Amino acid sequence: MSNTATGHTLHPKGAVKGKPGDRSAFGFETGTRLEGKHGRTGVIHTPHGDIHTPAFVPVATQAAMKGVLPESMTDLGAQCTLANAFHLFERPGEDVLDAAGGLGEFMNWDKPTFTDSGGFQVMSLGAGFKKTLAMDLETAKSDKAVASGKERLAFVDEDGVTFNSPLNGEKKRFSAEISMGIQHKLGADIMFAFDELTTLMNTKRYQEQSVERTFRWAKRCLAEHQRLTAERLGKPYQALFGVVQGANYEDLRHKAAAGIGSLDFDGFGIGGAMEKRIIGEICSWACDELPENKPRHILGIAAVDDIFACVENGGDTFDCVSPARTARNGAVFTHDGRWNVKRSAMKTDFRPIEEGCDCYTCQHYSRAYICHLLRSGEMVGATLATIHNERFFVRLLDEIRESMDGGYFHDFRDQTLARFYANGSRG
């Protein structure tokens, strides 16, 4: 059966009218393994198609890439997208997406989709800190710390989180059961268990309590997921990933991964605030404990060196808003580093953003034109820069996957990083 508006199949693999979603429609196959490391290639099977890993997952926060059509995301090679459950809960509401036939139908995207759990809002609305911090963590520990200029809008208790809506200030509530109910209605192929995302500012004692609380929430998420899967007949099976927390602490990462890994999840997310200097080690600590036969998603990572570190140490899929967000401000990623296309020197530079790039932007438009558009506030400028940046990261993970299968990963890593950071580029 097809939706006449989009042409999409309303009953993808694993969906049978009058029956619960068939779990066998989701699975993971491992391919090439890096010797002595957790890194591997593989294929994630979902009701809406396969994801060849390692893979980059572009973030379509509100069921849309800002300024970029889904058709363009397909053209640039994106295998899947991730939407934000919290924001879709805020507007238009999960019932709207459920009535539309799910996230993919709603946004005219016929490939696999992810949704997060809303757990990130525990930190961003609570303490207001970013995911990765650079500060004196030995002297600045405080469980009551709030980022400069921020007001604490979320409060955690054993049952869940109470928060004030950033849209209208209305008091609302998230819990394991509420998150599962929302995500089931959103209908993504892969969703995440509700977790507490702490900051690096929190004391170790609080991190310990949070890991234990996230484990209790994980068990509740599984129970509610199983109930809703049995209840919502005729829907494709939605995979549920547990989330591993533990901040920078090796013992807590092992403990959290062992606990979450012991539960009957379909895959796992490695999340939390992490210091860049040890991000690969953190990934490895978690993968030491996680089952080999299930996929691992690294939440919110898109720096080039971080991606290599996490791939090598067991990451299969990666999502981040950075490529699109920085593009809107004129920052573009190339093999020779990250730089700003709005610079004055670009006004008369009629070359593409990156020579040899196969993205639509580089095939049709110049640096000078994109510079003009962004400086003039024209929306098309952000669209063109975003297409390039998303293609850069999709292609980077494709190239990493090819290097792993081809047996030259380490040479490719070293050459890529040396070239990208040759001028001290951020990224």
Side-chain angles (χ1 to χ4, degrees):
M1 180 179 179
S2 295
N3 182 325
T4 56
T6 65
H8 292 174
T9 300
L10 291 181
H11 293 292
K13 184 178 178 182
V16 178
K17 187 175 181 180
K19 294 185 178 181
D22 182 356
R23 191 175 185 181
S24 68
F26 182 87
F28 179 63
E29 295 179 41
T30 57
T32 304
R33 296 176 180 271
L34 292 179
E35 186 175 352
K37 295 286 187 177
H38 291 295
R40 73 270 181 93
T41 64
V43 182
I44 301 173
H45 303 290
T46 83
H48 288 92
D50 293 344
I51 305 168
H52 294 267
T53 66
F56 185 70
V57 185
V59 179
T61 301
Q62 305 210 44
M65 291 294 303
K66 284 184 171 58
V68 180
L69 291 172
E71 291 84 353
S72 296
M73 296 304 296
T74 296
D75 291 343
L76 65 80
Q79 300 184 67
C80 46
T81 58
L82 180 146
N84 187 299
F86 173 82
H87 288 295
L88 293 176
F89 156 76
E90 287 272 81
R91 59 183 177 193
E94 66 274 18
D95 289 333
V96 173
L97 273 78
D98 196 23
L103 176 62
E105 286 292 323
F106 188 58
M107 66 182 287
N108 191 31
W109 178 257
D110 62 0
K111 293 178 173 57
T113 52
F114 294 63
T115 49
D116 64 5
S117 70
F120 179 77
Q121 277 62 41
V122 175
M123 182 179 81
S124 62
L125 292 179
F129 289 111
K130 295 180 180 180
K131 179 180 174 62
T132 304
L133 305 180
M135 59 176 63
D136 182 359
L137 299 174
E138 297 306 316
T139 60
K141 296 283 188 181
S142 171
D143 294 330
K144 297 182 179 180
V146 178
S148 177
K150 299 288 185 179
E151 175 187 359
R152 185 174 290 275
L153 298 176
F155 300 88
V156 181
D157 57 49
E158 177 58 29
D159 183 64
V161 184
T162 300
F163 60 92
N164 295 332
S165 166
L167 287 181
N168 56 23
E170 181 182 345
K171 184 167 287 189
K172 296 183 179 180
R173 183 81 174 158
F174 255 46
S175 66
E177 292 76 16
I178 291 171
S179 178
M180 289 297 94
I182 292 168
Q183 290 190 81
H184 268 265
K185 288 185 176 181
L186 295 179
D189 294 285
I190 297 171
M191 54 188 179
F192 290 90
F194 189 60
D195 62 312
E196 181 185 3
L197 175 58
T198 60
T199 80
L200 294 180
M201 290 289 292
N202 292 115
T203 61
K204 185 174 184 182
R205 178 56 188 151
Y206 189 87
Q207 303 284 7
E208 292 169 343
Q209 294 171 348
S210 178
V211 163
E212 292 166 359
R213 180 160 40 244
T214 291
F215 180 71
R216 292 191 291 272
W217 288 358
K219 291 191 288 185
R220 287 166 51 190
C221 284
L222 272 172
E224 185 68 0
H225 170 56
Q226 291 164 0
R227 186 185 74 80
L228 290 171
T229 298
E231 179 182 282
R232 288 171 54 79
L233 304 179
K235 305 288 185 180
Y237 180 75
Q238 294 175 258
L240 179 60
F241 283 25
V243 180
V244 176
Q245 294 288 355
N248 281 352
Y249 299 100
E250 182 175 2
D251 58 336
L252 291 186
R253 285 288 177 177
H254 279 283
K255 177 181 179 180
I260 297 296
S262 71
L263 301 177
D264 189 24
F265 286 110
D266 299 291
F268 304 94
I270 299 175
M274 297 179 273
E275 276 194 280
K276 185 180 183 74
R277 64 182 178 84
I278 57 170
I279 196 167
E281 294 173 69
I282 290 172
C283 189
S284 181
W285 296 336
C287 293
D288 284 343
E289 309 293 342
L290 295 175
E292 281 284 322
N293 63 340
K294 295 183 179 181
R296 309 154 181 154
H297 181 85
I298 313 300
L299 290 148
I301 296 297
V304 173
D305 54 343
D306 292 347
I307 284 176
F308 274 100
C310 290
V311 165
E312 187 171 2
N313 287 287
D316 297 311
T317 50
F318 303 80
D319 77 274
C320 195
V321 299
S322 175
R325 179 175 290 168
T326 56
R328 295 193 294 275
N329 293 316
V332 292
F333 291 84
T334 74
H335 282 81
D336 293 303
R338 170 181 157 181
W339 46 272
N340 201 301
V341 74
K342 292 168 66 177
R343 299 195 314 245
S344 296
M346 299 296 109
K347 287 183 177 181
T348 56
D349 191 332
F350 301 107
R351 294 174 295 170
I353 291 175
E354 182 170 21
E355 300 281 1
C357 177
D358 61 1
C359 80
Y360 178 85
T361 300
C362 288
Q363 293 295 310
H364 295 88
Y365 299 98
S366 68
R367 299 176 181 186
Y369 183 61
I370 298 164
C371 174
H372 158 68
L373 293 174
L374 290 169
R375 282 172 166 254
S376 302
E378 292 288 345
M379 291 184 290
V380 173
T383 295
L384 293 175
T386 300
I387 287 172
H388 172 79
N389 279 0
E390 294 293 339
R391 175 58 185 155
F392 174 85
F393 281 98
V394 166
R395 184 176 63 240
L396 176 65
L397 269 298
D398 289 347
E399 291 170 343
I400 289 173
R401 185 172 65 252
E402 291 168 6
S403 76
M404 295 169 78
D405 283 335
Y408 56 93
F409 169 79
H410 295 99
D411 287 342
F412 177 72
R413 176 200 63 193
D414 295 345
Q415 292 167 10
T416 300
L417 294 179
R419 180 178 172 185
F420 186 86
Y421 292 102
N423 299 312
S425 171
R426 295 181 300 163

